[in-house]
Amino acid sequence: MGHGRPAPHHRRLLPVTVTGLTTERRANPLGVDAARPRFGWQLASTANGQVQGRYQVTVGTTAGAADVWDSGEVASRASVDVPYGGPALAANRTYHWRVRVWDAHGRASGWSAPARFDTAPSGWTADFIGAPGTAGLDGASWIWYPEGDPAVDAPVATRYFRRAFDVAAPGRAVLVVTGDDTADAWVNGVKVAASRRVTDSWKRATTIDVTAHLRAGRNTIALAAQNTSASPASVIAKLQGAVTVPTDASWKASQSGSAGWEQPSFDDGAWPAARVSAAHLAGPWGNQVLVPAPAPRLGKTFTVGKPVARARLFATALGLHETYLNGVKVSAERLAPGWTDYTKRLQYRGYDVTAALRQGDNTLSALLGNGWYAGSLGFAGSRRYGTSPWYSAQLIVEYTDGTRGEVRTDGSWTWTSSPIVSDDLYHGEDQDARIAAGPAQAVTVHTGPRPRLVAQVDPGVTVRQELRPVRLTQPRPGVWIADLGQNFAGWNRLRVSGPAGTTVTLRHGEILNPDGTLYTANLRAAQATDTFTLAGRGVETFEPSFTVHGYRYVELTGFPGTPTVDSLTGLAAWTAGAETGTFTTSDPLVNQLQHNILWGARSNLLSIPTDCPQRDERLGWTGDIAAFGATATFNFDTHGLLAKFADDMVDAQRADGAFTDVAPDVLGWAGKAGWGDAGVIVPYVLWQRYGDLSAADRHFDALARWVDYLRATSGADLIRNQETYGDWLNVDDPTGNDLTSTAFFGWSARLVARMAAATGRTERAAAYHALADQVAAAFTNRFVAADGTVGNGSQTGYVLALAFGLVPPQRTQAVADRLAAKVASRDGHLSVGFMGVENLLPVLAEHGHLDTAYRVLQQPGYPGWGYMGARGATTIWERWDGIRTDGTLQDPGMNSFNHYGLGSVGDWLYRTVGGLGPAAPGYQRLLVAPKPGGSLTAATTSLATRYGPARTEWSRGGTGLTLRVTVPPNTTATVHVPAASAAAVTAPAEAVAQGWSGGAAVYALPSGSYTFTVA
């Protein structure tokens, strides 16, 4: 019963077909800038045991042609990342390719259906254009009442300010104002602005057109600024246009506002002069103030006078863009072109617009938003790269008569107003449907240095799912709360009708207060507020273009009438990688954990892997993806996003070799163990999970510099004791910085050695392997006691020692036993943080403590994943106790309810509980090794690999077990069937027995679908 029978004769095998053609791992891509594009395909067959023996690829200028390159018959099983081998490809050309294969028995498939790819343009000749500069605070100063040093500390109080000035001739004038903590403004006695009453409202200034309130002669501006806590306080403002009036020492200030203080006739002669606290962009406020500006619509009308054969548009922005041709968006992508370090690299995308052109007049246009370039970056400041966004595009039209024409952005373009009054990724978007486009005005051409342009690597962000409210409540008169049932990242579509000028305000939050109102304290300074002002034209639909929120609940105020569930739709957006994996079990607790892991990933993979999607952070924290990278590859295709992020990290790497704590780097912090190591871990994950060594090869010198930096910042004994964030958010079980820093030093050295060997760098591989061995020996000598205790006995100390191979084989079991005892001492609960969570259950399961691993996994109480689910979580929390056991909330200063880091256990779920993992990079060989345990009676796991769909399904009852396995064509699998002996297993005929080991019968299995049973 334990041995497979010989496979049926090969004559019974069915021929294969070829499907799933990709170029650079994308289907029919445009703008490929690789000199030797890589091709991929999948084999499909109804027969078991299909393996590719040879392939032939042809590339031509038309479908089915081979006039560019014919590989000839190549004896190889390769079907992923097969490089083009023909002559140099021309720029901006469409190439067609196809492939056929022969199976291991020499029988040919038919030719595949043709695929195509477009090469990138040869150069970027288009200008970057935008609207002329808008109102700002340049030249203004922060001022306060003359008491102490308000840039350091000021009392809780409201202070009042006035400035009289003369206007010779009224004209357009705009007032920009903000105050720490709030600022309200009056012009000639009329209140024109009031700060939003939210945390750190001063970080978003108010911009108001005050033209109608000015008059010839004497005018007065009055400001009331409130300091709500003992902290720095000041107000800053600037009137500009017909007259310029900045806040400075010429303003008057008062501690009290007596009746009529804001009126022009008020006598402020007794008020002292205001004190200047700091210049604009200085003091404690720095560059953190965002001045809202309208989003312009840029456009150009051109004529097409003859039949079009082919047209390609290439577009990008320093900021964000939505591009239209003849009023229709050219793509469903949002937040394009994503976030990079714009001083070093800017992505563009190509579009096939052949069918969108028409004879006669055509209009190419774009909405232009601030995005990461000119908007807020939360606590990292505002306008880090520029003060306003810029757009660039070039349209290349080829006619049927062989001629061509181009339309590119330049000074001939014009701009008009759009309904978007202001936009910011963190603070929200304001739209006013009453705003007309107005007369076209000349654009401004950007004259500064332009970044290096590259074809977009990641698939971009799109709306992936729509969510309807599951309930509507009204906690207060005029205040409605829509519960969308799921925490996610995205925005809303609002449908509403009402009188012109009605403004509906939408605020966003993850949870509710006990009274049912919206809880926003944990958003910190992110205002996450959208406003929509109606035009009064029946049912109107609003949707923001250039903002994103992390939320489950939406607060609606100002809604005319009573909203219904049809009034609001949540639009969940994430990176546009295809759904790839599924995982389900017999335990609702584990299924909820998988749900939370999936939605945590969806919410935080938008252009870069972020820490959280809701508060004033949302940065590319490297430590989070270092832990979560392997898990991220399972649920949907993150190859492009991770490849882009590898580039982002290298762009941010310091000259001394240190990788930064966030990428793109906007904080200037670097060199932390477990964080900077992501620069090595992400390329390694790309290799192991996708079979793609290109990032490791392209960036190898950068990876080596990181390890060299670790060596240079370690002691002579190879113990590295440097500042780090440590085992972030552990449960009262800290691990020493010297232990964690040395452990990650050894791990990065080991991974770099493996990637050196895989990329043919033999000598460097030997050198880094030797270094990794030396670090492991130093780690054991310093931190591992004779009885197996590691460091101070923290769970994470044990986990790192085992997971990173830092303990000699003869001593690992003692260390694992100590870890299991430590878990038992906490009544089967974990105490790890970000550094230990990924590998806690794997090292327990791999060293004879599977029961302990399942006990931790299925814990319903705190701390554990089940506790989050029991508290209503629909994503992974930042903290194990975001909501404490007594129902109170953790510190709002750091309490995200959508943080994927602690969900890194997902990789173990898929590989060990489900039993589906890679035995060779990219799943060219599968390891099917489920380890049932705990109370689970069944689990099903599926994954769309580059070779085709793989699947495992097991169920058990009593002493019996059934395991069903699907292995994609052109791959093989090693299958471990849990059993008391090999004789207890009934295997399919195609399975070749390999013996029994570690509680499982082992088989080699070809492609196909099979069933194993255990008596």
Side-chain angles (χ1 to χ4, degrees), residues 298-532:
L298 313 172
K300 170 82 171 182
T301 298
F302 60 96
T303 301
V304 172
K306 43 190 174 180
V308 174
R310 178 179 179 273
R312 296 294 186 267
L313 171 67
F314 303 95
T316 188
L318 293 166
L320 302 176
H321 73 93
E322 289 185 356
T323 296
Y324 298 77
L325 184 55
N326 294 324
V328 178
K329 284 181 64 174
V330 299
S331 169
E333 184 177 355
R334 306 296 294 269
L335 308 181
W339 188 8
T340 55
D341 182 341
Y342 303 107
T343 66
K344 297 181 179 179
R345 191 174 100 258
L346 175 64
Q347 298 190 129
Y348 68 85
R349 191 178 293 284
Y351 310 93
D352 182 350
V353 294
T354 308
L357 290 174
R358 59 196 182 202
Q359 294 297 300
D361 286 346
N362 294 260
T363 299
L364 180 62
S365 64
L367 277 173
L368 184 59
N370 292 307
W372 295 277
Y373 180 82
S376 171
L377 292 178
F379 69 73
S382 297
R383 298 181 170 180
R384 291 288 303 230
Y385 302 100
T387 57
S388 60
W390 304 91
Y391 176 71
S392 187
Q394 47 193 42
L395 170 63
I396 303 171
V397 182
E398 299 171 6
Y399 298 103
T400 55
D401 64 2
T403 61
R404 57 183 281 167
E406 289 193 27
V407 177
R408 63 176 72 95
T409 47
D410 57 21
S412 68
W413 283 53
T414 60
W415 73 274
T416 56
S417 298
S418 80
I420 301 175
V421 177
S422 68
D423 65 273
D424 186 75
L425 288 169
Y426 292 70
H427 297 315
E429 184 166 308
D430 301 316
Q431 294 185 15
D432 188 339
R434 299 171 299 175
I435 295 176
Q441 304 175 63
V443 298
T444 298
V445 177
H446 187 267
T447 56
R450 57 173 68 196
R452 179 172 64 94
L453 274 80
V454 298
Q456 190 158 332
V457 174
D458 66 298
V461 173
T462 58
V463 172
R464 312 290 287 168
Q465 187 168 328
E466 296 192 357
L467 302 171
R468 284 172 55 85
V470 296
R471 64 183 59 86
L472 274 172
T473 58
Q474 189 179 23
R476 293 176 182 169
V479 178
W480 298 89
I481 299 290
D483 177 3
L484 292 165
Q486 173 64 54
N487 201 347
F488 68 100
W491 48 85
N492 304 294
R493 182 188 302 124
L494 176 70
R495 298 176 183 84
V496 59
S497 61
T502 302
T503 296
V504 181
T505 299
L506 276 58
R507 296 198 306 142
H508 305 79
E510 297 183 288
I511 61 173
L512 300 178
N513 292 307
D515 64 358
T517 58
L518 191 70
Y519 176 82
T520 60
N522 70 328
L523 305 186
R524 301 190 308 213
Q527 296 184 18
T529 301
D530 300 329
T531 66
F532 303 108

Side-chain angles (χ1 to χ4, degrees), residues 6 78 168 197 202 211 279 352 375 381 470 538 615 676 746 765 789 823 856 864 914 967:
R197 266 45 179 181
W202 60 269
T211 306
D352 182 350
V470 296
R615 70 186 181 211
T789 301
V823 173
V856 173
V967 181

Side-chain angles (χ1 to χ4, degrees), residues 48 144 148 164 208 227 321 409 458 483 598 601 669 710 716 743 745 753-754 782 786 838 873 937 939 976:
N48 294 344
W144 195 248
I208 324 101
N227 190 33
H321 73 93
T409 47
D458 66 298
D483 177 3
L598 173 61
W669 306 339
L710 298 179
F745 174 19
R754 293 173 183 174
R782 172 65 66 88
E838 177 186 13
T937 58
H976 293 237

Side-chain angles (χ1 to χ4, degrees), residues 540-884:
E540 300 176 64
T541 301
F542 294 89
E543 180 183 334
S545 293
F546 302 125
T547 193
V548 63
H549 311 296
Y551 65 106
R552 170 176 172 170
Y553 298 95
V554 184
E555 176 197 85
L556 296 89
T557 56
F559 192 94
T562 301
T564 70
V565 293
D566 294 322
S567 301
L568 189 82
T569 303
L571 304 177
W574 60 86
T575 190
E579 303 285 333
T580 53
T582 64
F583 172 78
T584 186
T585 75
S586 57
D587 185 355
L589 182 152
V590 178
N591 293 342
Q592 185 64 48
L593 168 58
Q594 164 61 9
H595 174 97
N596 294 356
I597 291 169
L598 173 61
W599 277 95
R602 288 173 170 174
S603 304
N604 283 289
L605 297 177
L606 288 83
S607 181
I608 61 168
T610 58
D611 56 325
C612 60
Q614 76 294 92
R615 70 186 181 211
D616 63 341
E617 198 161 351
R618 314 186 196 183
L619 303 177
W621 282 100
T622 49
D624 299 56
I625 197 62
F628 193 76
T631 297
T633 64
F634 178 81
N635 291 297
F636 51 101
D637 187 352
T638 55
H639 174 269
L641 181 136
L642 292 178
K644 172 191 173 292
F645 196 61
D647 295 342
D648 292 332
M649 289 187 288
V650 171
D651 278 353
Q653 188 177 28
R654 295 192 327 197
D656 63 1
F659 282 116
T660 52
D661 301 353
V662 301
D665 180 29
V666 290
L667 298 179
W669 306 339
K672 307 292 194 307
W675 272 253
D677 298 281
V680 169
I681 292 171
V682 168
Y684 185 77
V685 167
L686 282 165
W687 172 36
Q688 291 297 303
R689 299 309 170 90
Y690 291 111
D692 186 1
L693 264 171
S694 62
D697 187 38
R698 182 172 65 254
H699 296 315
F700 184 82
D701 287 343
L703 312 187
R705 283 200 305 273
W706 167 249
V707 176
D708 295 345
Y709 166 81
L710 298 179
R711 177 64 187 90
T713 53
S714 299
D717 56 0
L718 295 180
I719 299 301
R720 187 169 187 266
N721 189 9
Q722 297 290 336
E723 176 191 1
T724 184
Y725 302 112
D727 188 29
W728 191 248
L729 297 177
N730 65 84
V731 186
D732 301 322
D733 192 17
T735 309
N737 283 352
D738 54 351
L739 189 155
T740 59
S741 294
T742 306
F744 274 96
F745 174 19
W747 187 232
S748 276
R750 185 69 69 197
L751 299 188
V752 167
R754 293 173 183 174
M755 288 184 278
T759 57
R761 296 172 169 89
T762 306
E763 291 184 4
R764 300 186 79 175
Y768 284 113
H769 271 306
L771 176 61
D773 290 342
Q774 293 164 5
V775 175
F779 181 94
T780 296
N781 292 338
R782 172 65 66 88
F783 300 112
V784 184
D787 65 355
T789 301
V790 176
N792 65 349
S794 69
Q795 287 187 13
T796 289
Y798 292 113
V799 168
L800 297 182
L802 293 168
F804 293 171
L806 302 171
V807 181
Q810 67 272 20
R811 301 181 65 182
T812 56
Q813 192 59 52
V815 173
D817 293 346
R818 286 282 176 177
L819 171 59
K822 182 63 180 277
V823 173
S825 73
R826 287 180 171 254
D827 195 25
H829 288 85
L830 54 76
S831 59
V832 294
F834 275 38
M835 284 184 167
V837 67
E838 177 186 13
N839 289 305
L840 173 63
L841 303 192
V843 299
L844 286 169
E846 290 162 11
H847 292 90
H849 296 287
L850 183 67
D851 56 341
T852 303
Y854 269 98
R855 186 180 181 195
V856 173
L857 173 67
Q858 294 185 282
Q859 280 287 357
Y862 169 79
W865 299 283
Y867 175 76
M868 296 182 193
R871 286 286 181 174
T874 61
T875 47
I876 298 295
W877 295 350
E878 179 177 23
R879 296 176 177 269
W880 294 110
D881 61 344
I883 301 175
R884 298 187 182 98

Side-chain angles (χ1 to χ4, degrees), residues 107-252:
R107 295 175 303 173
S109 72
W111 284 103
S112 69
R116 65 183 184 278
F117 66 94
D118 273 24
T119 51
S122 59
W124 199 272
T125 57
D127 291 326
F128 282 80
I129 61 173
T134 54
L137 290 168
D138 295 342
S141 298
W142 291 91
I143 61 172
W144 195 248
Y145 184 80
E147 51 188 347
D149 185 354
V152 175
D153 186 60
V156 176
T158 301
R159 298 294 182 249
Y160 304 86
F161 307 87
R162 287 172 53 89
R163 174 70 153 82
F165 58 95
D166 292 319
V167 175
R172 186 174 186 272
V174 173
L175 175 65
V176 180
V177 59
T178 191
D180 182 3
D181 290 299
T182 68
D184 298 343
W186 289 257
V187 174
N188 290 327
V190 178
K191 191 171 186 178
V192 295
S195 294
R196 290 174 176 170
R197 266 45 179 181
V198 295
T199 302
D200 288 343
S201 66
W202 60 269
K203 292 185 177 180
R204 181 182 186 276
T206 302
T207 303
I208 324 101
D209 189 323
V210 296
T211 306
H213 301 288
L214 295 181
R215 58 198 179 206
R218 202 68 166 166
N219 293 261
T220 302
I221 298 176
L223 306 175
Q226 183 181 25
N227 190 33
T228 59
S229 64
S231 60
S234 281
V235 66
I236 189 170
K238 183 179 179 182
L239 178 68
Q240 50 218 288
V243 62
T244 300
V245 182
T247 46
D248 54 26
S250 67
W251 284 59
K252 297 292 190 72

